[in-house]
Amino acid sequence: MEIKIERAATLKEKPDQNNLGFGNYFTDHMFMMDWDKGQGWHDARIVPYAPIPMDPATMVLHYAQETFEGLKAYRNPNGEILLFRPEMNARRMINSNRRICMAEIPEDMFVEAVEAIVKYEQDWIPTAPETSLYIRPFVYASQPGVGVHPADSYKFIIILSPVGAYYPEGIDPVKIWVEDEYVRAVKGGTGFTKCGGNYAASIAAQVKAESHGYTQVLWLDGVHRKYVEEVGTMNVMFLINDTVVTAALEGSVLPGVTRDSIIHILKDWGYKVEERELSIDELMDAARDGSLKEAWGTGTAAVISPIGELCYKGEEIIVHDFKIGELTQKLYDTLTGIQWGKLEDKYNWTRIVK
């Protein structure tokens, strides 16, 4: 692509790398590109980070044609910039956009755009321990008009944010509320996509969980309110005896990049991994009799988040004495070691931005 560059007149002061939080600061510039029916994607540019002018009738505001992605850039010990499996995010966005009837971004174009803005804003990549540059690509319907149909114009934007840990607890175990009233997704719906509507629909349950003193929600399936699907905005895994169990990808669960990576690593280590229906009753029984050894959520933002407690219908179950498990810690250390370039990447997952 030919990418035009407009440099910001005034650059921001960089935040304290030891107190970044998550999603609180944004870089000086962002990537933008437009799509119009008959013309396709055009006018790729890097411009100053700024508010986006928008007509009040812009279709995304009324009918929520919007998708997004999340990935990170890291500095390895040699100072090189690394991306972690960006092609996976590109393919997932293609699938998300297809489901929402939006213009699809070719994989090579997506990766090129990510590399371009990360390289341009490389001074924003933090180097303090456990920090990275969060990358948020998103697409939305930019056509003004009030009528329920696919838009004729879209914008693709990438913004960047230097971040620390997603949860204040960091890698410490979190308390999880098992939600059996609200549902996150159903097969045939948009559960496998990263669209904003999925996350808006999840907030009520999260607020409910927090009101009871829990960090996040364990989602059950939308039909039977029986089978475990995700935890908060993350995929979830359970070590039951010597087998790792996680929900299968059947349309209502997000195909997480971290999820896929962990499954590869686990199988490489010789663990048995089952992608199947896991009922909440089976899970609670396993917790009661001690066969539930460890539990954790997986996702780009937090990487791995250990689960220390489950509450279902008033019954509280402690997992692994509310301590991070040996396998959970090993997975976290291995995956982050690869991502930050501290461990050998025998899977060829990392990509150097040159």
Side-chain angles (χ1 to χ4, degrees), residues 74-83 125 340 352-354:
Y74 313 82
R75 285 278 187 192
N76 71 10
N78 297 325
E80 296 170 312
I81 304 168
L82 301 181
L83 298 176
I125 303 174
W340 270 280
I352 298 175
V353 177
K354 298 179 179 178

Side-chain angles (χ1 to χ4, degrees), residues 25 32 48 55 63 86 119 128 187-188 204 260 282 303 348 351 353:
Y25 305 97
M32 297 185 73
D55 191 291
Y63 309 115
K119 183 177 180 180
K187 295 174 185 178
D260 183 82
E282 179 186 349
V303 186
N348 294 317
R351 180 186 183 101
V353 177

Side-chain angles (χ1 to χ4, degrees), residues 289-310:
D289 67 22
S291 56
L292 175 62
K293 307 299 183 183
E294 301 180 33
W296 63 88
T298 73
T300 297
V303 186
I304 288 179
S305 181
I307 294 172
E309 181 180 327
L310 294 169

Side-chain angles (χ1 to χ4, degrees), residues 31 45 93 101 126 139 174 194 200 207 222 229 231 259 310 312 329:
F31 175 91
R45 58 206 184 273
M93 178 163 264
C101 294
V139 181
V174 295
K194 283 189 77 70
V207 170
E229 292 203 332
V231 60
R259 172 192 184 276
L310 294 169
Y312 179 54
Q329 184 72 62

